Amino acid sequence: MRKKDNPNWFSIGMDAWALAAESNMVIAMRIGALAFGGPSAVKEAERMVAEKVAANLSLGADLLTGKLGTSPEQIVSGSIAHYSRRVTANRRRLGW
């Protein structure tokens, strides 16, 4: 998944589906990590919240500066790509 210059709604839908599937994997891995409790669970919870705030602020800045594009398709595709990079990084960090 990456931002495309001229995305179509079908490819956007497929990218959104892939992001949802990968996000569910990350959620399951995080729930498992949090279930064990202890200092590592606290660290993971803090990291999770900080990452979400940073990702949302970054996306907002990209939207306001026009980095996502000008058409609805470019904006949606760029938003999916934005979150996908972060979800993929978390999946890899969490070990899958």
Side-chain angles (χ1 to χ4, degrees):
M1 280 178 270
R2 61 183 172 79
K3 186 180 151 203
K4 301 170 182 104
D5 290 331
N6 294 309
N8 61 60
W9 287 111
F10 179 78
S11 66
I12 290 169
M14 295 304 291
D15 287 347
W17 180 87
L19 175 59
E22 191 171 27
S23 295
N24 282 323
M25 285 190 284
V26 170
I27 290 166
M29 287 186 283
R30 277 188 158 156
I31 288 172
L34 295 174
F36 283 111
S40 63
V42 172
K43 184 178 177 182
E44 184 64 30
E46 290 171 348
R47 181 179 187 148
M48 180 174 56
V49 172
E51 285 175 349
K52 290 184 185 321
V53 170
N56 287 325
L57 290 173
S58 175
L59 181 65
D62 288 351
L63 181 61
L64 290 173
T65 59
K67 289 182 182 178
L68 296 177
T70 55
S71 73
E73 293 90 346
Q74 289 173 329
I75 292 169
V76 173
S77 181
S79 298
I80 291 169
H82 174 84
Y83 285 118
S84 180
R85 287 188 294 275
R86 285 151 178 81
V87 170
T88 298
N90 277 319
R91 180 182 50 79
R92 289 179 179 151
R93 180 181 59 79
L94 291 166
W96 203 38

